[in-house]
Amino acid sequence: MGRKTTQKDAIEQVLQAAENPLLPKEILERARAQAPALGLATVYRSLKRLQEERRIKLVEIPGKSPRYESADRGHHHHFVCQDCGSVIDLKGCVGNLQKMVPSGYRIESHEITLFGHCDSCQN
């Protein structure tokens, strides 16, 4: 495990408190409340370390910038608004995907992302 720093702690606390995956810039803005001197380069370095320590997860959405979330959220999927770009967590999973896989193949993992329009953008 890497060394403990106030800045890294602030970043991890922001991710643990977040309800949805965050962009590095969003993490920076929120973490500055605890670590005012925090810079974007430090955020990226800390995100890399926290990922290596398996404390956070990278959320990759096709065509979007990488986002990050706490690794303790358990298995879930995401919904992306095609208008404003917001990303929210979806609870649960569709279930047994193995039945869709050809005979002789085995699923190791999966990611499902739903795309549509959030409540705010529909109104």
Side-chain angles (χ1 to χ4, degrees):
M1 185 181 288
R3 67 186 176 104
K4 283 270 227 199
T5 68
T6 302
Q7 294 175 334
K8 185 176 160 187
D9 287 346
I11 291 166
E12 189 170 14
Q13 287 174 16
V14 163
L15 288 167
Q16 287 176 341
E19 293 183 13
N20 302 311
L22 299 175
L23 294 165
K25 186 177 178 182
E26 294 170 320
I27 296 166
L28 172 64
E29 291 166 0
R30 294 179 189 192
R32 278 191 171 156
Q34 287 181 261
L38 184 64
L40 192 55
T42 302
V43 169
Y44 278 107
R45 280 192 303 273
S46 295
L47 290 172
K48 182 179 178 190
R49 275 189 233 113
L50 288 165
Q51 245 186 300
E52 289 168 355
E53 296 168 7
R54 299 180 189 246
R55 297 168 72 95
I56 65 169
K57 289 174 43 177
L58 173 67
V59 176
E60 295 180 288
I61 309 262
K64 302 286 181 190
S65 297
R67 294 171 181 262
Y68 298 85
E69 64 186 8
S70 181
D72 62 4
R73 293 182 172 256
H75 180 72
H76 65 279
H77 301 289
H78 300 96
F79 181 95
V80 179
C81 178
Q82 293 176 301
D83 291 323
C84 68
S86 64
V87 178
I88 63 165
D89 287 356
L90 299 174
K91 304 301 176 208
C93 186
V94 295
N96 182 9
L97 297 176
Q98 187 62 46
K99 63 186 173 193
M100 296 173 60
V101 177
S103 178
Y105 289 77
R106 182 181 66 167
I107 295 175
E108 293 292 326
S109 67
H110 70 273
E111 293 292 328
I112 297 173
T113 305
L114 302 179
F115 296 86
H117 306 281
C118 71
D119 187 46
S120 297
C121 290
Q122 289 184 72
N123 296 325

